[in-house]
Amino acid sequence: MKNVIPVILAAMTLAAGCRQASEPAPVKTPLMGWSSWNAYMVNISDEIICHEADLLVEKGLRDKGFAQVNIDDGFFGPRTEDGVMTCNPQRFPDGMKPVADYIHSLGMKAGIYSDAGDNTCGSMYNKDTLGVGAGLYMHDAQDADLYFNQWDFDFIKIDYCGGRHAGLDEQDRYMEIRRVIDSVSTKPVSINICRWAYPGTWVSQAGDSWRTTGDIRPNWNSVKKIVGLNLYLSAFARNGHYNDMDMLALGYEDNQSGLGGESAFVRTTDYLTPDEEDAHFGLWCIMDSPLLLGCRLEGMPEHTLELVTNEELIALNQDPLGLQAHVVQHVGDTYVLVKDLLKRSGPRRGVAFYNPADLPAKVSVSSAELGYIGKVKVRDLLAHMDCGTADCISYEVPAHGVKMLSVEGRRTEQTLYEAEWAYAPKYTAIAQGPAFVPDESASGRTVVAGLGGEGNSLVWEDVWSDKGGSYALELVTIPADVETSGVAVSVNGTAVTPSVDGRYMAELGKGLNTVSISCVKPMPSVDCLKLEKLK
Ligand code: GLA
């Protein structure tokens, strides 16, 4: 049962001062590098970190973009009487600065770790007793000065075990930490917020990236779960700030012996298969997650090294538009994800066919569904192969697998915008609010529910018009029998006044436009927004 509210947008002058449609500037792309946690847990040392940094260079990974080395939990020593943090004297006998210096000398950036609260996760779960009181809480300025000005680190991951332990409010705490770091550090610092679920849209002001899930494990269920939790978060990756799907769980076979130290990933029989590794890496790339390798690089299997150095996949992740792909088709268990490359509504797009199911599945998508007129040129990014032209692309996708493609052709203007591609300012995964709810009657089999009330709107920031002009918009809600009279629509910041018959009049500018819907009272679930150009 669908309730279609026709909204006719006709010529209308935009009020002075409202946002004009424009092409956004290139943004900072997701981080790429290596992080110590998955392979070593708290059992790190200067020798281990420098060795892994060397391996990034030797294996050609740095030159493909993996140019950041992150020290995770486990480096902490006791605080001095004045509260100054020290480092673990056994693990880092010469201090932390020489390690950051060494990483810098290799042409890479150096990352460090802390907690928003008092104690570290390692002090709670890994018997790292020196992590008690090692968090930033009560030491923000002192630690920021030490980590970024004195030790010279460029990045910090800020966990939340101590924040939870101390009963702190995450938003207040992380915003305060950002404020202090920005005022104390003499250089820009990239911040990763590790709160294990999308905490709310405030997070993009506090962090450059943020974890959206619990810790990854090197098995298919874990990867599938993380992908599922990020499929509808594309609008929250914006302006060079990204959803972090966690470190890559690639390269785990029998390579976990070697340089001492216990691994977070104890030997299991269900490490990822090559197809699963393709899906894991391909999806992290197209969904614009940070790409942080987590295995011991020494023993990284050849097929994994080949996969993570695939420049065509990396280019999806490092594309200057900084977009996270969104779901354009969800048939059976399968998904098709897509994103623009290089230019908004331009000729090239990245496409992933994703089959999370336990059996192979055929996936077919028309060029029209991907936003093109006529045939598109198709390229297989995993096989590095041109696959000719087609107006319907069909592949059998292996169980737990992907087909990673780029397509090129003549674009059409998008006529349907799913609700689940839109930005919801009040969305959070840790409290009540808007939610992505499966609904078989919806166009993408998902609706956004729980909208309405103060500031609880839904915003499409990427409504595209090639030339600008008058458009008819339909807002499709589900179900039909819910009161919709209070729904207000605005275009590029200007309220669009309903006419007597309930229709709305406005004009879209050339390029990107913002369409926002809100309601003072609870709003029916939103399926999608449809556009038709009138002239
Ligand atoms: C949490 C984080 C992990 C890792 C550990 C360190 O579990 O989610 O990524 O940093 O803490 O203790």
Side-chain angles (χ1 to χ4, degrees):
M1 250 197 322
K2 297 191 178 188
N3 180 19
V4 177
I5 304 171
V7 185
I8 306 292
L9 299 176
M12 158 174 178
T13 314
L14 296 176
C18 71
R19 201 175 77 88
Q20 298 291 318
S22 62
E23 186 71 25
V27 296
K28 210 165 54 177
T29 55
L31 276 188
M32 292 176 68
W34 178 88
S35 175
S36 60
W37 180 252
N38 288 353
Y40 296 99
M41 296 164 66
V42 294
N43 305 297
I44 46 177
S45 69
D46 48 7
E47 202 187 314
I48 288 174
I49 301 297
C50 294
H51 180 61
E52 296 289 358
D54 285 338
L55 287 168
L56 282 176
V57 178
E58 281 165 31
K59 289 185 179 278
L61 288 157
R62 178 199 61 186
D63 293 345
K64 298 281 181 174
F66 293 93
Q68 165 113 12
V69 179
N70 287 350
I71 300 172
D72 205 283
D73 207 348
F75 70 86
F76 303 99
R79 287 190 186 273
T80 65
E81 276 181 8
D82 298 332
V84 177
M85 175 51 62
T86 62
C87 59
N88 185 301
Q90 277 81 44
R91 298 175 187 159
F92 294 88
D94 300 325
M96 302 305 284
K97 175 133 197 321
V99 183
D101 287 347
Y102 186 71
I103 295 167
H104 289 147
S105 77
L106 297 176
M108 298 192 283
K109 294 218 163 169
I112 201 160
Y113 168 94
S114 193
D115 195 284
D118 46 10
N119 304 339
T120 61
C121 298
S123 73
M124 299 179 197
Y125 305 113
N126 304 90
K127 304 192 183 80
D128 194 41
T129 50
L130 289 171
V132 173
L136 298 171
Y137 191 44
M138 313 295 277
H139 299 277
D140 290 345
Q142 198 175 27
D143 287 0
D145 180 54
L146 181 69
Y147 295 163
F148 312 118
N149 298 340
Q150 298 181 43
W151 289 354
D152 207 16
F153 284 88
D154 312 285
F155 161 98
I156 187 164
K157 167 176 170 180
I158 307 174
D159 222 324
Y160 204 62
C161 291
R164 195 169 50 187
H165 175 252
L168 306 175
D169 176 90
E170 47 262 279
Q171 178 171 354
D172 290 352
R173 196 52 204 120
Y174 281 112
M175 292 299 278
E176 173 64 5
I177 294 170
R178 169 103 252 177
R179 191 190 64 73
V180 173
I181 289 179
D182 286 349
S183 70
V184 168
S185 172
T186 55
K187 62 177 169 186
V189 173
S190 172
I191 297 180
N192 175 267
I193 287 174
C194 185
R195 171 55 189 83
W196 321 297
Y198 186 81
T201 53
W202 56 266
V203 77
S204 64
Q205 288 164 57
D208 298 84
S209 59
W210 46 83
R211 284 274 298 279
T212 50
T213 70
D215 291 5
I216 195 168
R217 312 291 309 165
N219 62 57
W220 179 248
N221 280 341
S222 173
V223 169
K224 178 169 104 174
K225 183 171 174 197
I226 291 175
V227 173
L229 287 166
N230 283 274
L231 281 174
Y232 300 118
L233 300 185
S234 60
F236 302 96
R238 58 214 277 269
N239 307 326
H241 293 62
Y242 300 99
N243 295 305
D244 174 5
M245 296 163 71
D246 204 0
M247 294 163 283
L248 296 160
L250 297 160
Y252 290 88
E253 284 186 339
D254 285 321
N255 68 350
Q256 296 310 301
S257 57
L259 271 179
E262 186 189 356
S263 167
F265 290 174
V266 286
R267 182 82 181 95
T268 67
T269 48
D270 58 355
Y271 288 142
L272 300 177
T273 64
D275 281 342
E276 292 168 347
E277 287 213 332
D278 287 353
H280 178 9
F281 190 64
L283 292 168
W284 261 238
C285 283
I286 202 164
M287 293 170 81
D288 260 30
S289 173
L291 301 177
L292 291 171
L293 300 163
C295 69
R296 293 175 195 199
L297 298 173
E298 187 90 67
M300 183 188 258
E302 260 318 299
H303 71 84
T304 308
L305 183 61
E306 196 184 321
L307 175 66
V308 302
T309 52
N310 179 323
E311 287 178 357
E312 301 193 67
L313 293 180
I314 292 172
L316 294 179
N317 185 263
Q318 298 293 302
D319 182 80
L321 294 178
L323 300 175
Q324 174 174 330
H326 58 246
V327 177
V328 280
Q329 187 201 82
H330 176 28
V331 171
D333 291 325
T334 67
Y335 297 85
V336 177
L337 292 99
V338 68
K339 69 172 197 164
D340 284 351
L341 297 173
L342 299 170
K343 192 174 180 325
R344 288 281 196 160
S345 203
R348 277 201 85 208
R349 304 193 95 186
V351 179
F353 287 9
Y354 169 45
N355 176 20
D358 298 334
L359 290 172
K362 185 164 177 200
V363 178
S364 299
V365 70
S366 67
S367 64
E369 275 178 277
L370 295 175
Y372 292 88
I373 303 175
K375 290 187 189 312
V376 285
K377 264 203 292 189
V378 183
R379 182 166 171 84
D380 183 328
L381 305 180
L382 278 160
H384 301 291
M385 214 171 70
D386 288 331
C387 307
T389 58
D391 46 26
C392 180
I393 309 170
S394 280
Y395 285 104
E396 169 141 313
V397 184
H400 307 179
V402 285
K403 196 85 191 169
M404 299 300 302
L405 307 167
S406 70
V407 293
E408 203 169 336
R410 203 173 131 222
R411 293 293 298 272
T412 49
E413 283 186 1
Q414 185 83 38
T415 54
L416 187 148
Y417 290 82
E418 294 292 355
E420 58 273 22
W421 305 345
Y423 185 72
K426 295 283 182 194
Y427 175 68
T428 163
I430 60 174
Q432 287 282 8
F436 304 100
V437 180
D439 187 319
E440 287 300 323
S441 69
S443 57
R445 294 168 64 198
T446 297
V447 293
V448 178
L451 294 162
E454 180 67 35
N456 190 2
S457 55
L458 192 66
V459 187
W460 288 271
E461 296 180 316
D462 55 355
V463 176
W464 182 267
S465 170
D466 284 337
K467 298 192 176 121
S470 303
Y471 286 76
L473 268 74
E474 286 177 353
L475 180 64
V476 183
T477 62
I478 297 176
D481 51 2
V482 179
E483 180 58 53
T484 56
S485 60
V487 174
V489 178
S490 79
V491 176
N492 295 329
T494 302
V496 185
T497 321
S499 61
V500 183
D501 63 0
R503 300 190 296 180
Y504 295 75
M505 316 288 277
E507 180 166 290
L508 296 187
K510 181 177 186 307
L512 291 172
N513 294 266
T514 298
V515 175
S516 171
I517 56 167
S518 58
C519 191
V520 282
K521 47 192 183 183
M523 215 191 296
S525 299
V526 181
D527 176 359
C528 62
L529 178 74
K530 290 181 177 173
L531 264 81
E532 187 194 338
K533 189 159 192 194
L534 297 179
K535 57 177 188 182

